[in-house]
Amino acid sequence: MSKEYETVIGLEVHVELATKTKIFCGCSTAFGGAPNTHTCPVCTGMPGSLPVLNKQVVEYAMAVGLATNCNITRHCKFDRKNYFYPDNPQNYQISQLYLPICRDGYVEIETGKLSVNQKNAGMTESGEVKTKRIGIHEIHMEEDAGKLVHDDWADASLVDYNRSGVPLIEIVSEPDMRSAEEVIAYLEKLRMFIQYLGASDCKLQEGSMRADVNLSLREVGSTEFGTRTEMKNLNSFTSIMHAIAGERERQMDILESGGKVVQETRRWDDAKGESYAMRSKEDAQDYRYFPDPDLIPVDISEEWIERVKASQPEFRPAKIERYKKEYGIPDYDIELITESKRMADIFEEATAICGQPKKVSNWLMVETMRLLKEKCMDADKIRFSPAHLASLIKLVDSKVINNNSAKEVFEVMFEEDVDPEKYVEEHGMKQENDEGAIKSICEQVIEANPQSVADYKGGKEKAIGFLVGQVMKAAKGKADPGTANKILKELLS
Ligand code: ADP
Ligand code: MG
Ligand code: ZN
């Protein structure tokens, strides 16, 4: 008889922090760049070089810890994790083992209501909305390693130290998750906090957020945990979901046939849809951790914590509630706009200036989202200023330009953040609001299109649309279509 199993999951999440410089030296953290150009003696592990801690790293780690209800360790330290690998020039990684900066936190997740990411990952809605606490064991600070580039052509492996010393935080959860749905809800919650804090862009695909999934099974009702495996290399929500389903299946087969799950690290191959063992616990390394003698402990004062607390932004759940009360726009709009803090900031500022929340929201949801998608850009890279969006809306409201011209101006604004008022002026885009002038164009159009006029008079209401189009064309797009419509009807009645 087959037994019922419960899936138990804990995550280790690495996040690359958005500091300008590395954690222990002044080198740039910019992604890309010619190999080994963002390097110095410290981040290439030269003997005699000394690390100096980047204060911003501590502040970001504290901010993430406070957002996730952690206790901040007032006296924390860095430790050396010793191992040899060519992308690790010092032969040790500076990390935190004994006194990590944050401990004992939690985040609240909601399940039962799917987010856009969960739907895209192919999940089906389970119906009942539930909230659950996922414990955070600790958050520690550490440095990233360099990158090996295997060049088959030259039959050589090259190493690029640009990433060496880029600051990371590792967020270690308690084994509190029970399904892929909970895992994704947890990751989305972490990502929301971190993005709203501006601490990282958290892109799974580009590796600025990386999740290792620890998974075990136990019989339903059992209070003890089973033996777990750890899966690395998961760089999308979809592959996390597949890996969880695949590993659950694999462990179940082992347990059902009376075998034992081996504690090991496995690599999930999303293309093949299976995982394979990388290393078992037996050959787990002894990292010989010890406190780094080159770095002094970090003492965090109450006052420093208070300062970081005071500068925490309003996070998404609170923002959503406030928007519902303040702006009277549909929940759907609120969901989309608050997905990115940048978008929400633009919404609030532009609305404060022009007083038209729904119009601002429409520009963000329709044209902005369309252009972002077209240019494969993230919302945090939006360049146009809220003031310019507000003045574009005012130009349309006061009939200085029509909607079509506004879209044209917006595309330029999106690229170069031009001032729409100036742009409209300089490009002669002001619409013709003088009824007399529009009337004379209408008369010409009526003259030139007897067939459509006959159609309209014969009861084909739609023919008026064609005539309006002809007026717009003759006016080089600068007439108000509403006015043209009104005048045409008057002339034809
Ligand atoms: P290690 O130091 O060996 O990596 P940790 O105890 O720090 O192990 O746990 C690493 C991660 O594994 C944590 O996120 C934790 O929640 C998770 N974990 C621990 N035990 C289990 C288990 N039995 N099943 C699933 N996940 C587990
Ligand atoms: Mg670990
Ligand atoms: Zn450096």
Side-chain angles (χ1 to χ4, degrees), residues 171-355:
I171 306 165
V172 183
S173 85
E174 299 294 350
D176 286 347
M177 285 158 273
R178 298 291 175 265
S179 65
E181 189 189 2
E182 290 184 3
V183 167
I184 292 179
Y186 168 76
L187 286 170
E188 287 194 318
K189 204 53 178 270
L190 285 186
R191 189 168 67 170
M192 182 278 295
F193 280 129
I194 298 168
Q195 287 179 340
Y196 263 68
L197 286 166
S200 172
D201 57 9
C202 291
K203 287 191 190 159
L204 282 155
Q205 251 89 0
E206 290 178 17
S208 56
M209 186 181 203
R210 307 167 217 155
D212 300 340
V213 174
N214 296 272
L215 186 150
S216 65
L217 295 186
R218 65 176 173 189
E219 266 184 69
V220 171
S222 159
T223 50
E224 260 162 52
F225 288 138
T227 305
R228 72 175 194 269
T229 59
E230 179 178 0
M231 284 180 290
K232 293 199 180 281
N233 205 31
L234 302 168
N235 59 6
S236 71
F237 284 126
T238 319
S239 73
I240 289 171
M241 212 180 70
H242 292 162
I244 289 172
E247 183 58 12
R248 179 185 154 81
E249 199 71 13
R250 195 190 67 87
Q251 290 190 15
M252 199 136 73
D253 287 346
I254 295 173
L255 296 174
E256 284 288 283
S257 60
K260 278 204 166 83
V261 174
V262 180
Q263 188 176 341
E264 62 190 359
T265 304
R266 303 181 65 85
R267 183 179 286 270
W268 173 256
D269 185 333
D270 208 36
K272 289 209 184 87
E274 56 188 39
S275 64
Y276 53 92
M278 282 168 73
R279 53 174 188 266
S280 72
K281 205 190 174 190
E282 279 77 68
D283 43 63
Q285 300 189 39
D286 174 3
Y287 291 116
R288 291 150 34 241
Y289 275 101
F290 66 88
D292 193 308
D294 288 343
L295 286 156
I296 51 167
V298 187
D299 286 304
I300 299 172
S301 64
E302 263 342 285
E303 188 236 324
W304 193 7
I305 294 176
E306 286 311 313
R307 234 185 310 130
V308 174
K309 248 187 213 162
S311 59
Q312 298 281 78
E314 173 188 43
F315 291 111
R316 192 176 180 207
K319 211 182 257 304
I320 288 177
E321 286 315 307
R322 182 168 64 82
Y323 279 22
K324 285 182 184 173
K325 288 197 201 98
E326 272 177 30
Y327 293 113
I329 56 172
D331 289 358
Y332 179 79
D333 295 35
I334 297 178
E335 284 280 318
L336 278 180
I337 291 171
T338 55
E339 220 160 73
S340 120
K341 180 166 183 295
R342 174 95 180 113
M343 193 88 93
D345 287 345
I346 293 174
F347 171 78
E348 288 180 37
E349 275 184 56
T351 302
I353 300 168
C354 73

Side-chain angles (χ1 to χ4, degrees), residues 116-132:
V116 177
N117 281 318
Q118 289 168 331
K119 280 184 196 145
N120 288 347
M123 290 187 154
T124 44
E125 211 133 35
S126 65
E128 200 188 344
V129 179
K130 282 192 201 140
T131 60
K132 178 175 174 179

Side-chain angles (χ1 to χ4, degrees), residues 383-400:
R383 283 186 289 265
F384 64 81
S385 69
H388 287 161
L389 177 56
S391 75
L392 184 67
I393 289 170
K394 279 186 193 159
L395 289 174
V396 178
D397 279 351
S398 55
K399 300 202 165 185
V400 174

Side-chain angles (χ1 to χ4, degrees), residues 21-27 40 42-43 50-54 57 78 90 93-95 141-143 165-167 292 295:
T21 56
K22 294 184 178 181
I23 183 168
F24 299 121
C25 63
C27 292
C40 73
V42 173
C43 57
L50 286 171
V52 177
L53 177 61
N54 181 339
V57 173
F78 285 95
Q90 305 158 128
Q93 177 194 30
I94 305 180
S95 180
M141 303 176 278
E142 59 188 26
E143 56 180 341
V166 167
D292 193 308
L295 286 156

